[in-house]
Short mmCIF file of all heavy atoms in Angstrom, two decimals:
data_model
loop_
_atom_site.label_atom_id
_atom_site.label_comp_id
_atom_site.label_asym_id
_atom_site.label_seq_id
_atom_site.Cartn_x
_atom_site.Cartn_y
_atom_site.Cartn_z
N LEU A 371 -15.79 -10.40 -2.62
CA LEU A 371 -15.60 -11.70 -3.29
C LEU A 371 -14.12 -12.03 -3.38
O LEU A 371 -13.70 -13.15 -3.07
CB LEU A 371 -16.24 -11.64 -4.67
CG LEU A 371 -16.16 -12.88 -5.58
CD1 LEU A 371 -17.32 -12.85 -6.57
CD2 LEU A 371 -14.85 -12.98 -6.37
N MET A 372 -13.32 -11.06 -3.82
CA MET A 372 -11.88 -11.31 -3.97
C MET A 372 -11.22 -11.58 -2.63
O MET A 372 -10.34 -12.44 -2.52
CB MET A 372 -11.22 -10.10 -4.66
CG MET A 372 -11.70 -9.85 -6.06
SD MET A 372 -11.30 -11.21 -7.20
CE MET A 372 -12.00 -10.60 -8.72
N LEU A 373 -11.61 -10.85 -1.61
CA LEU A 373 -11.07 -11.08 -0.27
C LEU A 373 -11.39 -12.49 0.21
O LEU A 373 -10.56 -13.18 0.81
CB LEU A 373 -11.65 -10.06 0.72
CG LEU A 373 -11.19 -8.61 0.58
CD1 LEU A 373 -12.09 -7.69 1.39
CD2 LEU A 373 -9.75 -8.45 1.05
N TYR A 374 -12.61 -12.93 -0.07
CA TYR A 374 -13.08 -14.23 0.39
C TYR A 374 -12.45 -15.37 -0.41
O TYR A 374 -11.93 -16.34 0.16
CB TYR A 374 -14.60 -14.28 0.27
CG TYR A 374 -15.24 -15.55 0.78
CD1 TYR A 374 -15.11 -15.94 2.11
CD2 TYR A 374 -15.98 -16.36 -0.07
CE1 TYR A 374 -15.70 -17.10 2.58
CE2 TYR A 374 -16.59 -17.52 0.38
CZ TYR A 374 -16.44 -17.88 1.70
OH TYR A 374 -17.03 -19.05 2.16
N VAL A 375 -12.46 -15.24 -1.73
CA VAL A 375 -11.91 -16.30 -2.58
C VAL A 375 -10.40 -16.42 -2.39
O VAL A 375 -9.84 -17.52 -2.35
CB VAL A 375 -12.27 -16.05 -4.06
CG1 VAL A 375 -11.50 -17.01 -4.97
CG2 VAL A 375 -13.77 -16.22 -4.28
N GLY A 376 -9.73 -15.28 -2.27
CA GLY A 376 -8.28 -15.30 -2.11
C GLY A 376 -7.83 -15.74 -0.73
O GLY A 376 -6.71 -16.22 -0.57
N GLY A 377 -8.68 -15.55 0.26
CA GLY A 377 -8.33 -15.96 1.62
C GLY A 377 -7.76 -14.86 2.48
O GLY A 377 -7.39 -15.09 3.62
N ASP A 378 -7.68 -13.62 1.95
CA ASP A 378 -7.25 -12.51 2.79
C ASP A 378 -8.25 -12.28 3.92
O ASP A 378 -7.87 -11.88 5.02
CB ASP A 378 -7.09 -11.23 1.96
CG ASP A 378 -5.82 -11.24 1.13
OD1 ASP A 378 -4.84 -11.89 1.55
OD2 ASP A 378 -5.79 -10.61 0.06
N ARG A 379 -9.52 -12.51 3.62
CA ARG A 379 -10.56 -12.45 4.65
C ARG A 379 -11.49 -13.66 4.42
O ARG A 379 -12.49 -13.56 3.73
CB ARG A 379 -11.36 -11.15 4.53
CG ARG A 379 -10.57 -9.89 4.89
CD ARG A 379 -10.17 -9.85 6.36
NE ARG A 379 -11.30 -9.95 7.24
CZ ARG A 379 -12.04 -8.91 7.63
NH1 ARG A 379 -11.75 -7.69 7.20
NH2 ARG A 379 -13.06 -9.08 8.45
N PRO A 380 -11.16 -14.79 5.02
CA PRO A 380 -11.91 -16.02 4.74
C PRO A 380 -13.20 -16.20 5.54
O PRO A 380 -13.88 -17.21 5.40
CB PRO A 380 -10.90 -17.11 5.10
CG PRO A 380 -10.09 -16.50 6.21
CD PRO A 380 -9.98 -15.03 5.88
N GLU A 381 -13.55 -15.22 6.40
CA GLU A 381 -14.73 -15.38 7.24
C GLU A 381 -16.00 -15.44 6.37
O GLU A 381 -16.17 -14.63 5.46
CB GLU A 381 -14.87 -14.22 8.22
CG GLU A 381 -13.62 -13.91 9.02
CD GLU A 381 -12.78 -12.83 8.39
OE1 GLU A 381 -12.26 -13.09 7.27
OE2 GLU A 381 -12.64 -11.75 8.99
N PRO A 382 -16.90 -16.35 6.65
CA PRO A 382 -18.13 -16.49 5.85
C PRO A 382 -18.95 -15.21 5.77
O PRO A 382 -19.59 -14.95 4.75
CB PRO A 382 -18.90 -17.60 6.57
CG PRO A 382 -17.84 -18.39 7.28
CD PRO A 382 -16.80 -17.40 7.68
N GLU A 383 -18.92 -14.40 6.84
CA GLU A 383 -19.75 -13.18 6.82
C GLU A 383 -19.24 -12.14 5.84
O GLU A 383 -19.95 -11.17 5.55
CB GLU A 383 -19.83 -12.57 8.23
CG GLU A 383 -18.50 -12.27 8.88
CD GLU A 383 -17.99 -13.44 9.73
OE1 GLU A 383 -18.38 -14.59 9.46
OE2 GLU A 383 -17.22 -13.18 10.66
N ILE A 384 -18.03 -12.32 5.31
CA ILE A 384 -17.51 -11.39 4.30
C ILE A 384 -18.31 -11.50 3.01
O ILE A 384 -18.58 -10.50 2.34
CB ILE A 384 -16.02 -11.67 4.02
CG1 ILE A 384 -15.17 -11.30 5.23
CG2 ILE A 384 -15.53 -10.91 2.79
CD1 ILE A 384 -15.15 -9.82 5.55
N ALA A 385 -18.69 -12.71 2.63
CA ALA A 385 -19.42 -12.92 1.37
C ALA A 385 -20.59 -13.87 1.60
O ALA A 385 -20.57 -15.01 1.13
CB ALA A 385 -18.47 -13.47 0.31
#
Side-chain angles (χ1 to χ4, degrees):
L371 179 155
M372 296 296 180
L373 289 166
Y374 183 61
V375 170
D378 283 332
R379 292 294 303 274
E381 310 94 295
E383 55 269 25
I384 291 294

